[in-house]
Amino acid sequence: MDKTLPHEDSGVYGWLVVLACHVIAMFVMGLYQCLGPAFVALQLDFNTGSSSTAWILSVFIFLELGLGPLANVLVKKIGYRWTVILGGSLSSLGFLLTAFAPSLEFMYFSFAVLVGFGYGIILDPHMAIIALYIKKRYVLANSLVVCGSGTGAFLFTPMWQLLIERYGWSGAFLVFAGLNANICVCGMLLKTPMVRPDKRQVKEGVSQSDCMEPPISTEKRTLKRRICDLFDFDLFCQYKTYILFPYVYFLGIGLGFTLLPVHLVERAVYMELGSKRDISYAMSIFGICAMIGRLLPVAVFYFNIRKLSSVKLYGLTFVIAGILNLLSPLATTYTTYCVYVALLALVTGVLFTMFSQVVKDTVGPTKLMAGLSLSSPFGCLGGLLGPPLAGWIYDSTQDYNNAFYFYGTCMSFAGLTILVVEPFTRRCDNKRREKLARNSDVSSCFLGEVEATSSVNDGVI
């Protein structure tokens, strides 16, 4: 019997999944933000510079963001539950080995590779599964999960410092090996939801996936066709609007934001806007406002401020973030600097929350995993190129304002591209849906293709 996703939220269990994903996000999305005390302790113990520990973090982030396609394949083969459990086990093993690391070079394997690989195959699945459980209140559920990064940063930063002071960096990594194992516990909840059959389709004997997909030849498919199916490269052909998202992830997030929080601090110190304690307070404001920003989409969507589509609203948010960065040289006093930091944090918080929303609205809930996994490597590439480019701009001009002009230009151009190009790509997608509807005996299957569901190769547990 053909099945479709439920049209309502999946009750208490669905919100338990949201809570589990929030806890997972505390580690996967929040932990890297609070490794400063650990890296300082490592530099003192191994008598090395900051560049060595910085490379550990760089490799870690590269793997975490770049393994989306592999995570998509694993979800297809072994399901959401076991993919997350595998990632949690590998990352906990990495923390455990790092606790007994004899040298800093060993940590390139134990922490950067093992923990980065483990988190890399968790990052997209723990975001994508929410859409399979929560539909009506997806914006709220997505915001709550993304807020896990702020919760993790808020809790783990003082925890790292306290553990290092009492047990040393080795003991701190050992404790976090145990804490990180909670990812496996939360992963046990991430089974594919039981779905209800669509009575209309059962009566007519036609499934949605049959309506959506063209007939497949009985001949043996080529290797190219198999690879496309495995990694879902067909998304680029089926949804023209989706092509915008990897580009925006590369330009607006990778190039335009990766090093921005670091330069916020360095610019304030360079301009002598206040003492180090004052600047730390300003960054605390940044963290609090970023948390609020991650919840703002709930207000935007639930208070009927939806005259713009989610994609257009996403592009407009990028433009606002870019303009704020272009105007940042006007923040020449501590007060104006705090106002700028607060506004920027609110806007970027909205950006990070809305990305999953716009991908889901474009490709549908069951293709969300594939949509996220194909976009994340582009953000990874931008994250690799952005810091050297911004650093080169500062080294060449000795002016942090030029680096912020670079960030603002990248974000603004990404947003303008969405606002200008999206109407044309949406028109192409609508024409494709109309064509498919005309060629199908059951044209109603295509009226809601954005929320149509393909079969999930996850196995119902």
Side-chain angles (χ1 to χ4, degrees):
M1 180 179 291
D2 295 311
K3 299 177 179 180
T4 63
L5 287 175
H7 294 285
E8 299 295 338
D9 300 340
S10 300
V12 176
Y13 192 88
W15 291 103
L16 285 176
V17 170
V18 172
L19 176 60
C21 291
H22 178 91
V23 175
I24 293 172
M26 288 171 56
F27 293 91
V28 176
M29 301 170 66
L31 187 68
Y32 79 93
Q33 303 178 50
C34 46
L35 289 173
F39 283 169
V40 170
L42 291 173
Q43 292 169 22
L44 293 175
D45 196 16
F46 292 107
N47 193 25
T48 185
S50 59
S51 60
S52 299
T53 54
W55 272 108
I56 295 176
L57 187 60
S58 296
V59 175
F60 168 83
I61 294 176
F62 174 79
L63 289 174
E64 183 173 14
L65 292 179
L67 293 180
L70 176 60
N72 187 32
V73 173
L74 287 173
V75 166
K76 289 184 174 184
K77 297 299 183 181
I78 63 177
Y80 287 93
R81 170 184 284 176
W82 293 109
T83 299
V84 171
I85 290 176
L86 175 62
S89 301
L90 287 174
S91 55
S92 292
L93 177 62
F95 276 107
L96 181 62
L97 293 177
T98 302
F100 301 99
S103 64
L104 200 63
E105 290 73 16
F106 182 82
M107 294 184 184
Y108 282 91
F109 166 74
S110 63
F111 186 83
V113 174
L114 278 182
V115 180
F117 187 93
Y119 283 2
I121 62 176
I122 295 173
L123 181 63
D124 291 333
H126 95 283
M127 294 298 300
I129 196 172
I130 306 167
L132 302 182
Y133 279 95
I134 307 296
K135 178 180 178 181
K136 184 178 179 181
R137 297 175 179 83
Y138 174 79
V139 179
L140 174 61
N142 183 58
S143 297
L144 291 176
V145 171
V146 176
C147 278
S149 62
T151 306
F154 177 76
L155 293 177
F156 292 156
T157 301
M159 189 180 297
W160 272 107
Q161 189 62 48
L162 178 63
L163 290 172
I164 290 172
E165 291 175 357
R166 292 196 175 186
Y167 307 110
W169 64 263
S170 180
F173 276 100
L174 191 61
V175 171
F176 266 90
L179 292 175
N180 189 81
N182 285 289
I183 291 177
C184 299
V185 178
C186 294
M188 292 298 294
L189 291 171
L190 307 188
K191 64 180 181 179
T192 304
M194 295 295 295
V195 293
R196 296 177 295 190
D198 187 318
K199 296 179 180 180
R200 182 190 62 206
Q201 292 180 11
V202 171
K203 181 178 179 180
E204 296 172 350
V206 181
S207 69
Q208 276 188 332
S209 58
D210 291 336
C211 297
M212 288 177 57
E213 300 295 335
I216 300 176
S217 172
T218 56
E219 298 178 1
K220 185 177 180 180
R221 293 183 300 179
T222 63
L223 178 61
K224 180 180 179 180
R225 180 71 257 169
R226 291 179 179 179
I227 293 175
C228 284
D229 289 345
L230 187 63
F231 292 98
D232 291 300
F233 291 141
D234 286 347
L235 286 182
F236 293 107
C237 299
Q238 294 175 358
Y239 306 96
K240 302 302 182 185
T241 302
Y242 176 75
I243 300 175
L244 294 172
F245 301 145
Y247 161 78
V248 167
Y249 211 152
F250 169 78
L251 183 63
I253 300 297
L255 291 180
F257 184 79
T258 302
L259 204 62
L260 180 58
V262 176
H263 275 174
L264 282 175
V265 177
E266 294 180 352
R267 178 178 177 271
V269 173
Y270 175 78
M271 296 184 64
E272 298 181 349
L273 297 180
S275 65
K276 291 184 177 180
R277 177 173 294 183
D278 292 334
I279 296 173
S280 68
Y281 290 154
M283 295 314 296
S284 297
I285 294 173
F286 182 88
I288 294 171
C289 291
M291 285 279 290
I292 298 173
R294 285 172 167 85
L295 293 173
L296 276 181
V298 180
V300 172
F301 283 92
Y302 281 90
F303 287 96
N304 202 27
I305 314 176
R306 293 197 65 175
K307 294 183 180 180
L308 293 176
S309 67
S310 61
V311 179
K312 289 182 179 178
L313 189 60
Y314 190 60
L316 182 61
T317 307
F318 259 119
V319 173
I320 295 173
I323 292 175
L324 285 173
N325 283 321
L326 292 174
L327 295 178
S328 64
L330 299 178
T332 55
T333 65
Y334 181 74
T335 301
T336 55
Y337 175 76
C338 288
V339 172
Y340 157 67
V341 164
L343 292 175
L344 182 65
L346 286 172
V347 176
T348 53
V350 173
L351 284 176
F352 282 103
T353 301
M354 284 197 64
F355 184 71
S356 298
Q357 176 71 39
V358 296
V359 174
K360 170 184 169 290
D361 287 349
T362 301
V363 304
T366 56
K367 289 292 184 181
L368 178 58
M369 177 64 216
L372 294 177
S373 68
L374 291 176
S375 298
S376 57
F378 290 87
C380 172
L381 179 61
L384 285 177
L385 298 177
L389 279 174
W392 175 78
I393 291 173
Y394 169 73
D395 292 338
S396 301
T397 62
Q398 293 298 307
D399 188 355
Y400 277 110
N401 288 337
N402 292 322
F404 281 82
Y405 290 145
F406 170 73
Y407 297 139
T409 301
C410 289
M411 286 185 164
S412 298
F413 197 74
L416 289 173
T417 302
I418 292 178
L419 295 176
V420 173
V421 177
E422 189 268 344
F424 299 99
T425 59
R426 177 163 44 86
R427 192 174 298 123
C428 291
D429 291 339
N430 290 337
K431 287 181 179 179
R432 172 180 172 269
R433 283 194 289 269
E434 292 171 0
K435 182 179 179 181
L436 289 174
R438 286 194 302 267
N439 294 336
S440 171
D441 293 331
V442 189
S443 62
S444 60
C445 291
F446 299 95
L447 295 179
E449 185 180 1
V450 171
E451 296 180 356
T453 57
S454 301
S455 57
V456 180
N457 233 353
D458 192 18
V460 178
I461 301 176

